[in-house]
Structures are given as structure tokens and as C-alpha cells.
Amino acid sequence: MSATDDLRVAFHDYRRPKATAGVYTLTAEHHLTKDGVRVDTDAPIPATTQQFEIRAVRFVLDPSSVHAHYPAEGASGDFSRTLPHITLNRSILPWERKLLARSVPEQAPWLALMVFHAGELPDDPEGLGQTATRTVAELRRPGGDILGPDLSDVGVTPGIEAGRCQCVDVPADLFTTLVPREEELNYLAHVRDVSTRPQRRDDGEILTKGQYAVLAANRLPRQPGTYTAHLVSLEGFHGRLGPGQLPEDKRLVRLCVLHSWTFTSDPLGTRDASALLGNLVAPAREDRENLALRLRPQTAVEARSTADAERYAHSRLHLGYTPLSYRLLSGETTYGWYRGPFVPVLAAETRDFARDTPKTTADHALIYEPEHGLFDVSYAAAWTLGRTLALSDPDYSEEITRARRELANTATRMMALAAEPTLAAADPADLDGRTLRELAGSGFAAELVDALARPLAPAEQPPLPARRSRRTRLTRADARSTLATGPRAAALQATAERHTRTMPAWLDELTLLRRVPFHYLVPHPAMLPPESIRLFRVDGNWIEALLAGARDVGVHSSLDALADTALTAATERRRARTGSSSPAAGLLIRSELVEAWPVFDLLATADGGPVGELRRDHPAPDTLLLLLDALPDEIVIREPGQGIHFGIDSNNGDGDNSVINLRDHRPGDNLGYPLRRDYPADGGLLTRHLRRLPKDNGPDVLALRGDRGLVPALAAALDPALRDLAPGEFALQLVNAPVEQRLTLDATPGQETAR
């Protein structure tokens, strides 16, 4: 089955090991024969035997062996139609041991996933996933009215009975009700073969290339409350998995637990993913502008209104601005307009902060509106924030300060060399090398000895050459101009490269707004109310002002400003080599959906191709921030967890509307695609295929075989000639159909008027 163009998932029935775990005996015999008749019968060579053991997971499972499980640990939602499942990294693990029973299919696993409701297990009444730590001996022989597994070969490995494992005691009647029958075990396990680039799926599960073992439960958590899923070993329970097969004197069954997790099922839909998604996009059905990130005035303004101030305020709000208190330099308090980097329209071109000379105050980034006497403080706030974040990081501020000092020293030395006639034409990089070459010259030693032997009295010296005339003497401006080109500029660049090791990475992080407080991004809570989704463009001017504030740290003199070009060029070259890019658009979601399912599919495309995702983060537990490298024309939000999990569906009818959306099981291009028909066609799957229980209101357990068996019924619904389904085919039919919300964006968005 293919979920997307770059995601291919295949289901296989099982993986048979070359040899299962156990103790094996090798026997070597040597026979001498002549014409096919043994001739060594009187004194045969003794046979040699050697025992060895193949060990595999049995009582303890390393947590790293668990790739993922669904529902997620601690998740809360409507899981009433879900069969919980667990994914294991070792695809052969469920078949490394055998269940010794004639009725068990060869491909049956020795593990099972059993789901318990809070209050069903005596040792875990609250459903917290609690287990008891016991020795293997206590697991095998619990004594009293507790039945343990029949592990007659446990004593082969020395000291194994003293080993510890996690156990749970299950009431005997509950065990019989929930445990898969021997003929059902193979349908609840299969191998998932993933051929893809990494794809993030339900609740953090990452579908990574490889083969994985998957074990599904047979119970639907339809009753509200807390549930615990236990991965248990059924080894030693052959002949005990059917009704009436437990000894009458046993009240509890002790199981070895290899992995556990808990979740909460809320069938009433307080956190129903489908309903939450529908509510998020509902405002767009009236007007797509309702999903833009802006404040909305309480009343609309008529176009023919004469209240110019009111129309002006409404236009500002429409552009994404928020009025905030602002204190003037004179001490008066007024209000100014502020807008963060997330804007509902294409921001107007303004000054290029990336090419500005370094500044020491934010005044240069203020925008004054003389018509209304107000300031736009957006870019000034961004510059100040960038400077504050830089100064608050001791590593960054130390590095940029040291870089500026080294650049200033190098610039001073270069200007001094430019003022000396004999050194002005020399390459600064060769000066130290030339000195070393003179010291190593063949005549230097003789010249040094001769100079030391001379009398200390000064000898007659020729007159010193006249200094450079006033007409040729370099002015400060001329000396500084020599730093812009040639070897001296290269020397400054080399100094900047040596002292900006971590600055580019720090600026890359700042470009993605990682250190920016959330109220700078969304300045008013009403812009992102509960249960809302907001789309936005990213104002590159705001981000450049933020970066300029961080880059301007450490500028104390005109020489620092002069050398800043080399510093900026060095950092930008390093950033370019890492392939860093600035965000162009994004979205914010504030919803219970995010809190319940922190990770879910959100696919953005432009002209049919994927848009790069630069940052996905959670500023708050119920808030998702997504930054993209281009403006998408379509966004698809998929119901969390629907990529790969198992269960039943609904036909939206009355009463028992439970169905299974049938998928094509035949090999070919359409394998795994929906057939657009259901089983049963009129609903009522649960009425037909739940186990009969001795009392009402018991667990909702699917009957896979027998007179109420789901597997043969599904096979007949797919093809009347079929009598059975393979485990992989059965798993394919149980993959839930995803619910999607699709947002189509305007290809010609509005442009803010230039200011």
C-alpha cells in the first residue's frame, strides 16, 4: 500500500526464522563402509554429541526494541474504533519462539497485545500500567489459585529462574474473554516493510526504511476511561486459550509482561480529531480571510464613512498591526503600531537592514507617520530584541566582541603599513614570512657578528631621507580607504573567518525565530484565539532588523563600523555554505488537537511540489508553529494517527454504523487502494462480529474465527471465492481511512502599500 508518492508500506504475513529459540543437539557419527556395507561394526568410532542453545527475547524486552505504539503514551481521544498496536524494531521477534500446540498455525506469534480497562486488574485498579516485579520461578510456580505458564525447559539456562521479569495477574474469566484463540493469533501479527524517506506519522512514530513487526490487539476500547496495553508472552499457555480450558481451581492467570503503556479513550468526542479539524477550518468556508493572522474589529466600517480616523485604524488592523503603549523620548506616553514577523499580507519594501552600517540605537528603525503623529515601532522593536538576545547569550556576545577587537587591531596595523613608503606595496600576509626569510638568510649571521663587534659610539650616518611630503602623506580617510580592496581587505576577511566560528549557526537559529518570545510573534491573544488556525507570510524586513540588532553588538568606534563589512561578509559566507534559508510563510494552530496529538501530518505544496519545512515547534502545549521556505498554494491537514493504525470505520448511518472500508487486496498497481464499498454494506459490523460473552456490557472483543468470525466474512466480501485472508491481507483491510482537511490558498495575495 502506498500512502504518499514517496511512502511505500507493504504488509507481509510473517518472518520465519531459520531456527527458533531453544536447545539443539548436534550428533556426529563416523561410519566405515565397503560397497555400501559397514565394516566397523566390531569397533565403531563413538558418536560425538554437542548441545547448543539459541537464545532470544523471553522474559525481558529492551525498551529500545519498541519502535512505536498507538495510541501514544498518555494520549486522550476517541479511540472507540481503534485496535491498539505496537511496532517492534526486530521484525523476526514475534516468531523466534513457538507455541507448542497442534491447533496453532505455524506462523502464529508467541506474543499477544492485551488491553485492559481501569478496574479490571486487581493489582492496577486505576489503570496506571502497574506491574509486579517477580522472579522467573515465581512466574512459573505462583502457587495457590494462580496459574502460571508451563515452561518445562526453563532450567536449561543456568540461573534463569533467579532472573526477574514484570508480571501481571489477570482474573481467569477476563483472561479467557480477552486472550486471542489459538487459531486467531496469526491474524494479529504481521511484518511492515517500509520503503521511504523518513515520514513522521501518528503521535511521533517515524516510518523509517526497514522491516518491523506489528502486533495488534483484538479489543476495541469503546467504554470511556483509562486503558493499559500489555505486550504479554503466551509461551506455556498452549491449550489454555479457549473457553473452559483453564483449571476450575485457578482464579488468576499470571502473565509475563514485556512492555506496557496507558491511554484514555473518550468516545464522547471531547477530543475527537475529526471534529476538531472541522472546527478549525470552518471559518474559511465563509471567507478565507478569516484564517489570516490579524485583529478583527468589533464592528465593520462602511466604505462611505467620514470617520477617517476609524477607517485608518481598521486599515492598520487589516494589515496585521496591533496598537501598543509607547513612551516617547520626551517622556510622554502615547501608542504606536506594532507588527511582528507574521503578517497577513505581502509586506512593503523598506530599508535594507542587512546593508545598513552598524547602529547603536534603534532610532534608525522607527517609522514616523506625520499625518497621524504616530510611530511604527515594529522594526525598532525587532532591532532592540536582537540586541537583547545577543547580549543575553554570553557565548555569542563574547565571540562577536572578540572578533571586533581583532578586526580593529588588524585594521589599525593595515593602516599603519599603508602609511610607510617601504611597506605600502607589500602584501600584509607576506610581512611575517619576509622577516623569517631574512633571519634565515646565509649572510645574516655574519652581519649580526659584525654589528655586535662595532663600538657603541654612533658612527657617521648619512642624512635620513626626507619624510613623505605633505602632498603625499596619507590622511586618515586615505588610510581607511586602503582597507576596502586588495590584500588588506583579504587580511580583514581572514581575521573575520578565524573569529566567527559559531556566530553563523547562532544567526541561523535566530532567523528561524527560535529565541524570540511568543508575544513578539503574536502581540495580542485575540489574534490566535482557542480552537483556531491562522495563516501568515513572514516579513523578511522584520527578521533582517532582528539580525541587525544581534550583529551590531560590540560596535564602539568608527573603526569597528569600518571593519563590520568584513565581519558581516564572513558570517554570511558561512551561512551560505550550510544552506540556511529564511522562512517565507507559515501557520499557527491553537487547539486541543495539538495537545492531544503533538505530531500529525501537515503537508504544504506549491505548484504540485512539496514546500520545505524549516521549523515545527510547540510554543505552548496546545499551540503549533510551522515555518515554511515558500508560500504554499495548498495545505492538507490529516487526522492524527491515520497514516498507519488499525480499526474499524463508520458509514455515518444510524444505530450500529460500524463498517470496514474495503481495500483492493489483489497484486498490482491498485493494491491497498479503497474499493469504495464497505463491509457490511448497511453497517452493523460490531453486532455481527463481537464475541458472545456470558454477561452483557463486557469487553468489545472482535471474533476473528468461528461462527462470528470476521476474517472469513471479510474474505467473502472481497471475493465470494475466497475462504480466508492471510495476516498481511487482514491487516491491510483494517487500516483506517484518514480524514483530511484541505486549505486552498489565494494565488494572488494582497500587497501592502509601500511606505
Side-chain angles (χ1 to χ4, degrees):
M1 183 189 72
S2 176
T4 62
D5 292 340
D6 54 1
L7 169 64
R8 300 193 64 85
V9 181
F11 297 112
H12 303 288
D13 299 338
Y14 65 101
R15 284 197 68 188
R16 177 184 297 163
K18 297 295 183 182
T20 57
V23 178
Y24 294 81
T25 301
L26 290 177
T27 302
E29 297 181 348
H30 194 114
H31 295 173
L32 296 178
T33 61
K34 181 178 181 181
D35 299 330
V37 179
R38 290 190 62 178
V39 297
D40 61 344
T41 55
D42 294 336
I45 299 175
T48 300
T49 61
Q50 178 69 49
Q51 277 193 339
F52 68 92
E53 180 182 2
I54 297 178
R55 297 184 182 179
V57 171
R58 194 172 203 177
F59 302 111
V60 178
L61 180 66
D62 192 313
S64 64
S65 299
V66 178
H67 181 67
H69 44 63
Y70 186 86
E73 172 71 40
S76 177
D78 182 9
F79 303 120
S80 60
R81 299 179 183 274
T82 298
L83 293 176
H85 78 270
I86 186 170
T87 306
L88 304 174
N89 289 316
R90 185 173 173 80
S91 62
I92 204 172
L93 193 151
W95 299 276
E96 287 184 310
R97 297 187 174 277
K98 282 188 176 181
L99 296 182
L100 304 178
R102 294 180 180 177
S103 61
V104 175
E106 181 182 3
Q107 63 266 36
W110 62 281
L111 297 169
L113 188 64
M114 300 183 67
V115 178
F116 301 92
H117 191 275
E120 290 181 342
L121 297 178
D123 296 334
D124 189 18
E126 302 298 327
L128 302 178
Q130 295 178 346
T131 57
T133 303
R134 294 186 172 94
T135 63
V136 174
E138 293 172 325
L139 169 68
R140 291 181 60 198
R141 297 179 291 275
D145 57 358
I146 304 177
L147 175 68
D150 179 12
L151 303 176
S152 56
D153 61 337
V154 163
V156 172
T157 303
I160 192 172
E161 289 209 339
R164 294 184 173 273
C165 60
Q166 300 301 312
C167 301
V168 62
D169 292 341
V170 183
D173 56 346
L174 180 64
F175 174 81
T176 301
T177 299
L178 296 181
V179 73
R181 305 295 181 244
E182 291 179 350
E183 65 273 14
E184 296 177 342
L185 282 169
N186 60 312
Y187 296 107
L188 296 173
H190 63 274
V191 173
R192 178 190 297 170
D193 189 356
V194 181
S195 176
T196 175
R197 64 178 176 85
Q199 294 276 329
R200 190 171 290 278
R201 281 295 184 271
D202 37 303
D203 301 336
E205 178 174 359
I206 300 179
L207 294 181
T208 309
K209 183 177 180 180
Q211 289 190 334
Y212 306 88
V214 181
L215 290 149
N218 59 355
R219 180 180 187 176
L220 296 166
R222 297 180 68 206
Q223 299 300 317
T226 303
Y227 286 82
T228 300
H230 288 299
L231 180 65
V232 301
S233 168
L234 295 182
E235 189 182 20
F237 285 102
H238 50 274
R240 304 292 192 187
L241 305 183
Q245 294 183 350
L246 294 179
E248 295 183 357
D249 61 334
K250 299 301 182 182
R251 182 178 59 90
L252 299 171
V253 176
R254 180 163 293 177
L255 298 173
C256 176
V257 177
L258 285 86
H259 189 78
S260 304
W261 78 94
T262 61
F263 60 91
T264 301
S265 182
D266 184 10
L268 298 179
T270 55
R271 279 189 172 180
D272 178 61
S274 179
L276 288 172
L277 276 176
N279 292 335
L280 286 176
V281 301
R285 297 187 180 99
E286 299 178 4
D287 185 357
R288 282 179 295 183
E289 286 295 317
N290 290 334
L291 300 187
L293 186 66
R294 58 166 63 99
L295 277 176
R296 286 158 180 79
Q298 298 297 323
T299 58
V301 178
E302 296 292 337
R304 58 180 179 273
S305 172
T306 57
D308 293 340
E310 188 174 356
R311 285 201 303 272
Y312 164 74
H314 279 246
S315 67
R316 276 292 179 176
L317 296 180
H318 183 78
L319 295 176
Y321 284 92
T322 301
L324 297 177
S325 297
Y326 177 60
R327 185 184 297 275
L328 301 174
L329 291 177
S330 60
E332 300 170 90
T333 300
T334 179
Y335 79 92
W337 292 111
Y338 172 78
R339 185 174 68 180
F342 303 156
V343 295
V345 295
L346 185 62
E349 292 294 331
T350 184
R351 65 185 306 153
D352 191 345
F353 292 98
R355 297 182 181 276
D356 270 353
T357 56
K359 303 294 192 299
T360 56
T361 69
D363 292 348
H364 71 288
L366 286 171
I367 299 175
Y368 181 62
E369 295 184 356
E371 182 181 357
H372 301 93
L374 296 174
F375 282 98
D376 178 348
V377 301
S378 305
Y379 301 135
W383 188 92
T384 303
L385 175 63
R387 186 178 182 86
T388 302
L389 293 175
L391 292 173
S392 65
D393 188 322
D395 294 333
Y396 176 84
S397 58
E398 180 184 359
E399 181 169 311
I400 192 171
T401 302
R402 181 184 296 112
R404 291 199 184 279
R405 297 286 71 75
E406 292 296 330
L407 281 170
N409 293 338
T410 303
T412 301
R413 186 162 67 96
M414 294 300 102
M415 289 190 296
L417 292 175
E420 290 295 329
T422 58
L423 300 177
D427 188 342
D430 291 339
L431 291 177
D432 294 335
R434 188 173 70 178
T435 302
L436 292 176
R437 287 193 297 272
E438 291 177 353
L439 292 174
S442 59
F444 177 76
E447 293 178 2
L448 179 62
V449 171
D450 181 62
L452 294 175
R454 292 174 188 168
L456 295 180
E460 291 293 334
Q461 297 291 336
L464 293 175
R467 296 189 59 87
R468 196 187 292 254
S469 66
R470 183 178 300 274
R471 183 170 53 85
T472 60
R473 184 178 301 164
L474 287 180
T475 64
R476 175 178 294 184
D478 293 336
R480 291 190 172 188
S481 66
T482 63
L483 301 177
T485 59
R488 292 173 180 79
L492 288 175
Q493 292 290 344
T495 302
E497 289 279 355
R498 288 195 304 271
H499 294 88
T500 54
R501 301 295 184 183
T502 64
M503 281 177 55
W506 194 94
L507 293 173
D508 284 343
E509 292 289 300
L510 194 60
T511 301
L512 297 179
L513 307 172
R514 292 199 182 275
R515 296 175 175 84
V516 177
F518 190 70
H519 63 272
Y520 276 84
L521 307 178
V522 182
H524 197 288
M527 300 176 75
L528 187 67
E531 298 306 319
S532 65
I533 179 173
R534 294 292 182 262
L535 309 176
F536 56 82
R537 289 174 175 267
V538 176
D539 184 0
N541 304 322
W542 199 97
I543 292 182
E544 286 300 334
L546 178 74
L547 296 177
R551 288 194 298 255
D552 290 352
V553 168
V555 176
H556 301 295
S557 66
S558 58
L559 191 58
D560 290 334
L562 180 66
D564 182 72
T565 303
L567 184 65
T568 301
T571 55
E572 291 306 312
R573 276 199 301 272
R574 284 184 180 272
R575 295 181 64 193
R577 287 196 292 267
T578 60
S580 61
S581 57
S582 298
L587 61 83
L588 283 160
I589 299 178
R590 183 183 176 192
S591 170
E592 289 188 11
L593 180 79
V594 178
E595 190 168 8
W597 294 276
V599 179
F600 53 87
D601 277 351
L602 199 154
L603 309 175
T605 57
D607 298 327
V611 173
E613 184 177 307
L614 299 180
R615 178 187 174 191
R616 185 186 289 222
D617 211 344
H618 293 83
D622 66 341
T623 304
L624 172 69
L625 168 62
L626 182 70
L627 295 180
L628 306 171
D629 64 1
L631 180 69
D633 52 34
E634 186 177 70
I635 295 176
V636 177
I637 306 175
R638 288 180 180 163
E639 181 181 356
Q642 298 294 337
I644 297 291
H645 82 243
F646 309 98
I648 61 176
D649 302 296
S650 169
N651 64 1
N652 298 320
D654 297 328
D656 183 3
N657 59 1
S658 56
V659 297
I660 288 179
N661 303 136
L662 297 177
R663 296 176 181 271
D664 197 337
H665 70 291
R666 296 165 297 182
D669 295 338
N670 294 325
L671 176 64
Y673 281 86
L675 294 174
R676 302 193 182 282
R677 54 190 176 92
D678 301 333
Y679 172 78
D682 55 350
L685 182 140
L686 295 180
T687 304
R688 303 183 188 190
H689 298 293
L690 289 183
R691 285 184 183 174
R692 287 194 177 96
L693 302 176
K695 59 181 180 179
D696 296 333
N697 300 323
D700 296 304
V701 181
L702 288 177
L704 304 184
R705 300 291 298 182
D707 59 344
R708 302 173 69 85
L710 175 60
V711 176
L714 268 180
L718 289 168
D719 186 345
L722 286 178
R723 294 292 179 265
D724 197 5
L725 293 176
E729 294 174 325
F730 180 62
L732 181 63
Q733 300 305 318
L734 292 182
V735 173
N736 284 143
V739 174
E740 292 185 347
Q741 294 294 339
R742 193 176 299 269
L743 295 172
T744 303
L745 308 181
D746 193 350
T748 56
Q751 168 90 32
E752 183 182 5
T753 303
R755 290 176 282 124

